[in-house]
């Protein structure tokens, strides 16, 4: 659920900061539709565990392609960046601020026992609707 919450939050933050609407593909990829295919703009990875004293924790990593990089051609066919997607430079401080605020909001929603998780799942499904129910292939 934490990965889904962060995916929704990142997509919301990118939209506020840049105007670029992102869809969620699988549980952890944020993508834009360009040239008849989904291009990855951001990814979310979560790892959970327990410390030696028995405390539980989760670490969430978020990577956002803000500007174009020196990608290999194979990566360029599957990914893009926000500068290319919105046609202008992206204010990184504003994007970070929006991401942190959105993650906090969605994390609080996870903790809300009066339907917060269902509202989060609904938000995730809405952003993932283009890929839900589709066949998956990989090499």
């Amino acid at each position: 659920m934490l990965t889904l919450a962060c995916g929704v939050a990142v997509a919301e933050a990118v939209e506020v900061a840049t105007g670029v609407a992102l869809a969620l593909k699988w549980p952890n990829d944020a993508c834009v539709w360009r040239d008849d295919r989904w291009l990855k703009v951001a990814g979310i990875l979560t790892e959970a565990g327990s410390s030696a004293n028995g405390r539980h924790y989760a670490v969430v990593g978020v990577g956002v392609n803000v500007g174009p990089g020196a990608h290999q051609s194979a990566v360029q066919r599957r990914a893009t960046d926000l500068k290319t997607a919105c046609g202008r430079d992206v204010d990184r401080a504003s994007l970070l601020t929006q991401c942190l605020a959105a993650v906090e909001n969605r994390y609080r929603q996870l903790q809300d026992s009066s339907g917060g998780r269902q509202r989060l799942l609904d938000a995730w499904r809405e952003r993932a609707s283009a890929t839900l129910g589709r066949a998956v292939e990989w090499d």
Side-chain angles (χ1 to χ4, degrees), residues 8 24 118 120-130 132:
V8 171
L24 297 172
Q118 186 59 53
L120 172 64
L121 284 172
D122 292 344
W124 183 83
R125 283 186 185 106
E126 184 177 321
R127 290 213 178 250
S129 64
L132 287 178

Side-chain angles (χ1 to χ4, degrees), residues 2-114:
L2 188 57
T3 302
L4 299 182
C6 288
V8 171
V10 167
E12 291 169 338
V14 164
E15 193 165 349
V16 168
T18 68
V20 174
L22 297 183
L24 297 172
K25 182 179 173 189
W26 323 130
N28 62 331
D29 290 345
C31 303
V32 294
W33 181 255
R34 296 283 187 272
D35 302 324
D36 295 326
R37 65 182 182 265
W38 290 108
L39 298 176
K40 185 174 179 175
V41 172
I44 297 96
L45 292 175
T46 305
E47 184 167 329
S50 298
S51 64
N53 65 3
R55 297 190 73 174
H56 300 288
Y57 65 87
V59 177
V60 179
V62 176
V64 180
N65 299 337
V66 177
H71 305 299
Q72 299 173 356
S73 61
V75 173
Q76 287 176 334
R77 288 192 297 272
R78 297 187 325 259
T80 190
D81 59 89
L82 293 176
K83 181 178 181 179
T84 300
C86 70
R88 61 177 168 75
D89 286 334
V90 174
D91 181 336
R92 291 168 188 254
S94 175
L95 177 61
L96 177 59
T97 300
Q98 292 296 333
C99 281
L100 292 173
V103 166
E104 180 180 15
N105 180 48
R106 290 300 180 172
Y107 183 71
R108 286 184 180 173
Q109 191 173 43
L110 274 179
Q111 296 171 320
D112 177 5
S113 60
S114 63

